[in-house]
Amino acid sequence: MYEERIRRTELSQKITSAENAALLFRDNMVVASSGFTKAGDSKAVLKALAARTPVPPRNITLITGASLGHNTDGALAAAQVLHKRMPFQVDPVLRQQINAGEVLFTDQHLGESAELIHEKILPRIDIAVIEALIIEEDGSIVPTTSVGNTATFAEAADKIIVEINMSVPLSVYGVHDIFRTGVWPDRQIIPITGADTRIGRRSIPVDPEKIVAVVLTTTTDSPAQINAPDEKTSAIAGHLLTFFSHEIQKGRLQRSLRPLQSGIGKVANAVMEGFLDGDFHHLTMYSEVIQDSAFNLIDAGKLDIASASSITVSQPCYERVFNNFERYKPHIILRPQDISNAAEVIRRLGVISINTAIECDIYGHVNSTHIGGTAMMNGIGGSNDFARNAYLSIFVTQSSSKANSISHIVPMASHVDNTEHDVDIIVTETGLADLRGLAPRERARLIISNCAHASYKDELNNYFTEACRSGGHTPHLLQEALSWHARFQQNGTMLKTVHE
């Protein structure tokens, strides 16, 4: 019954197949797609583009909100469609091509990509593919499970293809809060004073003349892979909850804390699950992504409101939530990512930011994106949007992995995404280091003592001691600073061998 979804009746004449819609693409186009962390993305048209015969278009620049689901990035990469991808991805096939230099990747702060489009710093968008719940009578689009950069794409694109997803319940209508700040010199303030503040409209304004095709789909979002908390992630959560309790005792926080932001992934989700056991009440979230843990906290009566740019959950959680969305709807707000990640709002609300690190060095610099300093993993995402502006900037990681062959606390980070100036707390399963107000030498002692794995503590202490003898505000032995990474590359372990 698409009539209740396509309320501007003349657009029903533009209903077509994904394969026909894919014929609209040409070589060298700049293409945008809705979607943020596998939610609310193109399910049909981009897949049909990758499968187009006899040869799909080449040299496409693809811009999204964040990652796509259903292996769409991988299909496009395998079909050699992509020339450049931005601003974030998680697909292993695409990642391999990026690291081989076959596809260019622009790793952007997620809160800034909309501005680059509006200011015409990025090339003009030829076609935007947007997943929708409803097309309103005025042609405006109601998104589905994410907003991301969709409002920006709808405004900036020359042509729009709409995918109406019939599987998303109509009860989702009303959960979105679409607000545009405008562009300089007429840019507006963002009048959000609490995670529950609504300031915008329910749909994205669209010139209906730009809609060139409408495709009907029934495919749900790709499920997130949410692992149950394990010994390490539970320990990390325990250290954080103890820290928050101490901050409450000191009068710096209340039982409701401040609005929480949590990055995506198993560690961050496990940390949020830890709030189920803590003595915390009336929690709020001002974040990018709403994961399983948020809905578990809502069910437990501990989370009052969750504001984000997408809903990305496991399959069981998806079924639980969307089969009974009216139950969760009062607790959920979905915003454009330049609003969810806005420095102005994050600073005003005093957000507590919790993100995942690949590695941290002894002075508090964080690598969130690169393996061994050169190989891209996923991208910086929004971690720095929050870390730079949060009341508390927390990074979590395990102290070691792969049978202790890799230390995640190293002398010098092989790549830096978040500098020591933006990192307040580092937590591993071995302990927590509160770095606020500390000088580099104080930070190093605390990080090594509290966060390093026992297998690496002595060597880290030896490195720091020798570096201090050489002097400097941030002491380093340049000939040894990255030797651990070189050792792993050569021997498959950062641990010293007997011969060394």
Side-chain angles (χ1 to χ4, degrees), residues 169-334:
L170 288 170
S171 55
V172 170
Y173 180 78
V175 78
H176 308 94
D177 189 55
I178 310 300
F179 181 80
R180 309 302 299 137
T181 60
V183 296
W184 188 89
D186 301 315
R187 202 164 189 177
Q188 302 179 58
I189 64 169
I190 304 172
I192 293 175
T193 55
D196 59 348
T197 306
R198 287 182 174 271
I199 60 174
R201 50 182 289 168
R202 296 179 177 183
S203 60
I204 296 170
V206 173
D207 177 359
E209 294 298 319
K210 296 203 296 186
I211 299 176
V212 294
V214 177
V215 175
L216 305 181
T217 71
T218 57
T219 304
T220 59
D221 291 335
S222 285
Q225 300 300 315
I226 303 294
N227 297 326
D230 56 24
E231 185 177 351
K232 286 187 176 181
T233 56
S234 296
I236 291 170
H239 295 313
L240 260 181
L241 296 180
T242 299
F243 167 77
F244 289 138
S245 295
H246 288 163
E247 291 293 289
I248 291 168
Q249 291 170 12
K250 294 171 183 175
R252 295 173 183 151
L253 292 173
Q254 299 176 336
R255 291 289 169 192
S256 58
L257 302 178
R258 298 191 184 190
L260 299 165
Q261 177 262 333
S262 174
I264 196 164
K266 67 176 185 178
V267 177
N269 192 70
V271 168
M272 290 297 295
E273 289 278 1
F275 287 109
L276 290 168
D277 301 321
D279 186 18
F280 305 98
H281 308 284
H282 298 295
L283 298 170
T284 60
M285 286 185 68
Y286 193 84
S287 191
E288 297 174 295
V289 182
I290 303 173
Q291 298 188 88
D292 288 36
S293 53
F295 291 103
N296 294 339
L297 288 166
I298 291 171
D299 285 340
K302 293 207 167 192
L303 182 64
D304 291 349
I305 193 77
S307 167
S309 198
S310 76
I311 298 172
T312 303
V313 292
S314 66
Q315 189 63 39
C317 187
Y318 189 97
E319 294 171 2
R320 179 175 105 228
V321 169
F322 288 97
N323 287 338
N324 187 25
F325 197 77
E326 292 290 356
R327 150 98 178 84
Y328 298 97
K329 189 173 179 177
H331 303 277
I332 304 298
I333 301 175
L334 294 182

Side-chain angles (χ1 to χ4, degrees), residues 188-485:
Q188 302 179 58
I189 64 169
I190 304 172
I192 293 175
T193 55
D196 59 348
T197 306
R198 287 182 174 271
I199 60 174
R201 50 182 289 168
R202 296 179 177 183
S203 60
I204 296 170
V206 173
D207 177 359
E209 294 298 319
K210 296 203 296 186
I211 299 176
V212 294
V214 177
V215 175
L216 305 181
T217 71
T218 57
T219 304
T220 59
D221 291 335
S222 285
Q225 300 300 315
I226 303 294
N227 297 326
D230 56 24
E231 185 177 351
K232 286 187 176 181
T233 56
S234 296
I236 291 170
H239 295 313
L240 260 181
L241 296 180
T242 299
F243 167 77
F244 289 138
S245 295
H246 288 163
E247 291 293 289
I248 291 168
Q249 291 170 12
K250 294 171 183 175
R252 295 173 183 151
L253 292 173
Q254 299 176 336
R255 291 289 169 192
S256 58
L257 302 178
R258 298 191 184 190
L260 299 165
Q261 177 262 333
S262 174
I264 196 164
K266 67 176 185 178
V267 177
N269 192 70
V271 168
M272 290 297 295
E273 289 278 1
F275 287 109
L276 290 168
D277 301 321
D279 186 18
F280 305 98
H281 308 284
H282 298 295
L283 298 170
T284 60
M285 286 185 68
Y286 193 84
S287 191
E288 297 174 295
V289 182
I290 303 173
Q291 298 188 88
D292 288 36
S293 53
F295 291 103
N296 294 339
L297 288 166
I298 291 171
D299 285 340
K302 293 207 167 192
L303 182 64
D304 291 349
I305 193 77
S307 167
S309 198
S310 76
I311 298 172
T312 303
V313 292
S314 66
Q315 189 63 39
C317 187
Y318 189 97
E319 294 171 2
R320 179 175 105 228
V321 169
F322 288 97
N323 287 338
N324 187 25
F325 197 77
E326 292 290 356
R327 150 98 178 84
Y328 298 97
K329 189 173 179 177
H331 303 277
I332 304 298
I333 301 175
L334 294 182
R335 310 183 193 270
Q337 68 193 67
D338 56 327
I339 306 299
S340 68
N341 292 39
E344 169 193 347
V345 181
I346 295 165
R347 182 66 61 88
R348 180 185 301 127
L349 299 187
V351 169
I352 296 173
S353 172
I354 307 169
N355 286 289
T356 304
I358 290 175
E359 64 183 4
C360 308
D361 72 21
I362 59 175
Y363 297 112
H365 298 96
V366 169
N367 171 16
S368 302
T369 59
H370 284 69
I371 304 299
T374 61
M376 171 58 62
M377 189 63 183
N378 299 325
I380 193 170
S383 64
N384 191 259
D385 293 328
F386 286 91
R388 180 67 186 91
N389 301 289
Y391 166 70
L392 274 175
S393 174
I394 300 167
F395 281 88
V396 298
T397 185
Q398 43 191 333
S399 66
S400 67
S401 62
K402 297 189 182 300
N404 299 332
S405 64
I406 297 175
S407 175
H408 295 272
I409 305 296
V410 294
M412 178 184 280
S414 59
H415 177 91
V416 175
D417 299 290
N418 294 275
T419 74
E420 58 177 317
H421 309 292
D422 300 330
V423 179
D424 296 320
I425 310 286
I426 291 175
V427 195
T428 70
E429 80 281 2
T430 66
L432 179 148
D434 183 351
L435 309 178
R436 293 175 293 176
L438 301 185
R441 294 180 187 228
E442 294 174 304
R443 289 198 297 267
R445 294 186 183 97
L446 191 62
I447 291 170
I448 294 170
S449 173
N450 290 8
C451 300
H453 190 272
S455 302
Y456 292 94
K457 270 189 182 179
D458 286 346
E459 191 177 354
L460 284 168
N461 277 318
N462 290 339
Y463 174 89
F464 177 62
T465 299
E466 290 301 314
C468 287
R469 287 178 183 152
S470 299
H473 173 65
T474 306
H476 268 303
L477 303 172
L478 293 183
Q479 69 274 23
E480 297 180 24
L482 295 175
S483 63
W484 291 29
H485 300 85

